[in-house]
Amino acid sequence: KSDMKMVQQTRVVDLFCGAGGLSLGLRGAGMTVVAAFDHWKPAVDTYRANLGNHVHHGEISEDLQVPDCEIIVGGPPCQGFSSAGMRRQDDHRNTLIGVYSRIIARVRPMAFIFENVEGFLTGGNGRHIFELLEPLVTAGYRIHLRKVNAANYGVPQHRKRVVAIGGLGWDPRFPAETHFAYGAPGAHVPGHRGLPRTPTLGEAIASLNGLGNAIDHAVLALEGDDLMRARMLAPGQKMKDLPEELWHPSYRRRAFRRVMDGTPTEQRGGAPSGIKRLRADEPSKAITGAACREFIHPSEPRPLTIRECATLQTF
């Protein structure tokens, strides 16, 4: 009981809060989120509608006034080094990593949690790691940093992210994995076999059956070539598995450019995949902002709905 009371008295500030994923998880664990900050108004509006009026809209700078708290969490914008798009070393959003770490070093909370994409480790030849760690190590934080797959924690999608946990003058423990994941390279190791299996995509979205066109669950009906593509793809197949005459023009241009123009790998983003049909018997691929356009339902000739994507995000 004393441990639970201590958790309930733990105050959290969420920087670069987005729609509120970190806030939602920590609130679910019993903590109190006293303030959240983000510059993107649609995200702030979403956060406020679902989690409360303690969210603030505006620029996040090093002199941000942060209320008293025990933990600061955040995922500074990652687009500058995300594999989902063009990587630009001069993207101003990359510098927000340093803003995040220097706010923590100034405020000196008991602990912090940092989350970002895989590309954080290699972007800018590794300089982003130093932007995060240098101010915090200097301030006395002991830090554990590792790449994790959300599927190993029961999330029904293969979502690989870099997570850092830091304690001021104490050594934080990283949470043990809770589930046995499968369906992606390196998702499982023999030591995980005693754990429960990660829910599949089919299991995760089964609760939505029969909802019809409920809010955010309206089905986008495909037509013409788009419908033909969706019907021809078998579970697990991508655009490249279709006859070349059915490749989408943007996919054709990007695939051709990657071969012919000599663009450096770090500036190309991830390999082009175009649309793909997901498998119902495995955790989903990582949900992205384009998932409602590119991910085809495992058994129906249509994209996933917004509600299906949110469910796979465990929202």
Side-chain angles (χ1 to χ4, degrees):
K1 289 183 178 179
S2 60
D3 287 345
M4 179 55 67
K5 185 175 182 180
M6 182 177 69
V7 169
Q8 292 172 343
Q9 293 176 343
T10 300
R11 297 165 296 179
V12 178
V13 169
D14 191 345
L15 303 180
F16 310 99
C17 62
L22 283 171
S23 289
L24 181 64
L26 293 169
R27 191 177 72 172
M31 300 179 189
T32 301
V33 183
V34 295
F37 301 86
D38 203 280
H39 178 62
W40 194 40
K41 193 172 186 302
V44 171
D45 292 343
T46 300
Y47 189 110
R48 182 174 289 116
N50 290 280
L51 295 171
N53 290 323
H54 55 271
V55 64
H56 304 276
H57 174 234
E59 292 280 358
I60 299 177
S61 60
E62 291 182 36
D63 58 357
L64 181 72
Q65 294 303 302
V66 177
D68 291 341
C69 62
E70 283 71 47
I71 303 177
I72 290 179
V73 304
C78 61
Q79 289 91 335
F81 39 84
S82 171
S83 63
M86 297 287 285
R87 299 184 182 188
R88 294 187 53 184
Q89 304 305 324
D90 60 347
D91 194 313
H92 75 280
R93 291 169 293 196
N94 293 343
T95 64
L96 294 177
I97 300 290
V99 170
Y100 172 82
S101 61
R102 287 189 289 272
I103 289 174
I104 294 172
R106 172 174 59 83
V107 177
R108 299 178 64 82
M110 173 185 71
F112 74 86
I113 303 171
F114 168 88
E115 176 269 337
N116 223 298
V117 296
E118 290 182 274
F120 165 77
L121 294 176
T122 56
N125 295 318
R127 70 180 174 85
H128 303 307
I129 299 176
F130 288 94
E131 286 180 332
L132 174 70
L133 297 182
E134 189 171 22
L136 296 172
V137 170
T138 301
Y141 284 91
R142 301 177 185 175
I143 302 166
H144 286 195
L145 183 149
R146 67 174 66 172
K147 184 168 70 174
V148 301
N149 185 346
N152 288 123
Y153 292 89
V155 176
Q157 65 168 296
H158 288 292
R159 190 175 192 85
K160 297 177 183 178
R161 289 295 184 267
V162 173
V163 176
I165 303 175
L168 185 58
W170 60 280
D171 203 17
R173 292 182 298 173
F174 220 88
E177 293 172 343
T178 60
H179 286 71
F180 170 74
Y182 52 94
H188 64 279
V189 295
H192 294 159
R193 294 192 182 277
L195 298 174
R197 180 177 56 83
T198 300
T200 66
L201 180 153
E203 291 168 341
I205 66 175
S207 62
L208 301 177
N209 293 339
L211 285 184
N213 288 338
I215 187 169
D216 293 337
H217 194 45
V219 171
L220 174 64
L222 299 179
E223 299 177 344
D225 286 348
D226 289 332
L227 180 58
M228 187 177 298
R229 293 181 185 106
R231 285 176 170 168
M232 290 186 68
L233 286 174
Q237 287 189 328
K238 304 176 181 179
M239 183 80 81
K240 69 177 182 180
D241 297 304
L242 293 172
E244 189 169 342
E245 60 268 21
L246 282 178
W247 286 4
H248 192 278
S250 63
Y251 174 84
R252 189 191 311 274
R253 287 194 301 270
R254 188 175 180 195
F256 181 76
R257 188 185 75 233
R258 289 173 63 83
V259 174
M260 299 299 295
D261 72 354
T263 301
T265 300
E266 67 273 10
Q267 295 180 15
R268 289 178 181 157
S273 59
I275 61 171
K276 58 182 72 69
R277 186 184 286 279
L278 301 176
R279 296 178 58 104
D281 59 349
E282 295 178 354
S284 172
K285 302 293 184 184
I287 297 299
T288 68
C292 292
R293 300 188 303 274
E294 296 182 348
F295 285 177
I296 303 300
H297 188 279
S299 60
E300 300 177 20
R302 63 168 179 84
L304 295 182
T305 68
I306 293 175
R307 178 51 45 198
E308 286 168 337
C309 290
T311 299
L312 294 170
Q313 288 281 76
T314 64
F315 286 149

